Every structure is written in structure tokens, then in C-alpha cells.
Amino acid sequence: MMRTWRCTICGYLHEGDSPPAFCPLCHATADKFELIESVGQSRSFAGRLKEALGQMRETFAPHAVSAHFPAALIPTAVLFLVLAMVSGSRSLEFAALALQVVIVVSIPVTMLTGFFIWQKNYHKSRSVIFKKKIALAWLLLLIASAIMMWRLLAPDLLSNGGAGSAFYLLLNFFMLACVTLLGHYGGMLVSAQRKTDG
Ligand SMILES: [Zn+2]
């Protein structure tokens, strides 16, 4: 009888009498594999869908998913602002404002998923890297909120030019630096996790 083994690290499924020596996806060793019954036996559509959803739930990484929202939107918002500055386009400037609103909404969601994974996988470790990540996340939320509020209160902020618009652009680049560093430390944590598991 064909048996199905699942990698407990990444969820990879292997069919055979014994687990593979190394997981082809995450390089975890054979002892990280567990035998699962019945999976792969079901041939009905509903059964397969249930299996697929089950695997997705087990390997779902809410923080990695949610972190991509501010990580992708912030560079785009800053790019739109620079283009608006160069071209004088009001619609590009307004698009940047719309993105700023989504950024401010997405940061607390990302912070919350980050808090849960910090609690679950790292037992609220007080290592420097977590202190940096938490401080940077609060700083990011503060700067992003300030940028959005300032622009909402002063719609002609960018077109007015002068010191105000220069400082506003500077704040935007500061926000970009924060999210870049957060992504960098996040990447470091993920690759460290892979090394200890594999
Ligand atoms: Zn694996």
C-alpha cells in the first residue's frame, strides 16, 4: 500500500514506503516527516479540495503574507509622489494619498500577525533583532500616520513646494527606509529558521 509522508516543516507531501532522506523543498531531514493516513486516498473533488485546504492551512504564514502589503505599497506610494513632483500631476499625487491610507490600515494588521508569530515561534524572545523589528514597526506606523494626516490636512502640500514639501518627501523616504529594514530583518529570521530546521 502506498503511504503518504508529510514534511512537518513546510508541508511537502511524499509518497512511498519511507520518507525521503531530505525534504526537496526545505531540506529538513527524514525524521521531520510524519506518516499521514488517508491523504492521497481520496479521489473525489470534495476530498481533494479538503486535502488542499488542509495543507494550505498548515503551511499558511499570515505574517509573511500581510507583510507584503506595506512592503509593496510603500515603494509604490513614494514612486508616485516623486513622479507627481516631477510631472506636476495631481492624479498621481492623489493616487499616492490613496496608497498612504491603505498603508496605514495594513501596518497594524502586519504588526498583529508579527506579534502572534513572535509569541508562537520565538516565545517572545528579547533578542536584539526582535527589539529592532518592534521598534521599527512602531516607528513605521507613526511616520505613515503622520504622512497621511499631514497630506489630508494640507491638500496642496506637494504643489506648494518649499521646506514643507521637501520635509514631506523626506518623511516618505524615511518610511521607505523603515519598511526596507523590517523586510531585511524578517528575511534574516526566515533564513535562520530554515538553517536550524534543516
Ligand atoms: Zn519540507
Side-chain angles (χ1 to χ4, degrees), residues 69-70 73 95-109 148:
F69 284 84
L73 294 174
L97 171 65
L99 289 176
Q100 284 164 4
V101 175
V102 186
I103 288 163
V104 169
V105 172
S106 71
I107 293 171
V109 177
M148 184 192 73

Side-chain angles (χ1 to χ4, degrees), residues 21-135:
F22 291 97
C23 172
L25 280 187
C26 72
H27 310 293
T29 46
D31 59 295
K32 293 285 195 296
F33 276 79
E34 61 178 7
L35 182 64
I36 45 172
E37 309 298 338
S38 76
V39 172
Q41 308 299 315
S42 177
R43 287 289 164 258
S44 71
F45 176 75
R48 285 182 179 198
L49 185 68
K50 209 178 146 195
E51 278 169 27
L53 288 176
Q55 284 169 34
M56 214 189 250
R57 195 187 58 232
E58 277 164 34
T59 56
F60 185 60
H63 187 60
V65 172
S66 57
H68 283 89
F69 284 84
L73 294 174
I74 289 172
T76 316
V78 176
L79 177 70
F80 281 10
L81 267 186
V82 171
L83 290 175
M85 186 94 170
V86 174
S87 67
S89 162
R90 291 293 298 200
S91 45
L92 270 174
E93 197 271 340
F94 187 78
L97 171 65
L99 289 176
Q100 284 164 4
V101 175
V102 186
I103 288 163
V104 169
V105 172
S106 71
I107 293 171
V109 177
T110 309
M111 286 174 79
L112 209 61
T113 56
F115 178 80
F116 285 129
I117 197 165
W118 177 51
Q119 195 173 39
K120 184 172 164 260
N121 293 6
Y122 300 95
H123 311 288
K124 293 191 179 180
S125 159
R126 297 274 168 188
S127 310
V128 180
I129 190 162
F130 294 106
K131 283 184 181 167
K132 280 184 182 168
K133 281 211 85 170
I134 292 164

Side-chain angles (χ1 to χ4, degrees), residues 6-12 14 19-34 193-198:
R6 180 176 53 210
C7 173
T8 54
I9 308 301
C10 73
Y12 173 79
H14 170 86
F22 291 97
C23 172
L25 280 187
C26 72
H27 310 293
T29 46
D31 59 295
K32 293 285 195 296
F33 276 79
E34 61 178 7
Q193 180 84 24
R194 282 212 187 103
K195 272 174 204 139
T196 45
D197 289 335

Side-chain angles (χ1 to χ4, degrees), residues 45 112 150 160 167 172:
F45 176 75
L112 209 61
W150 193 5
N160 279 346
F167 186 61
N172 272 275

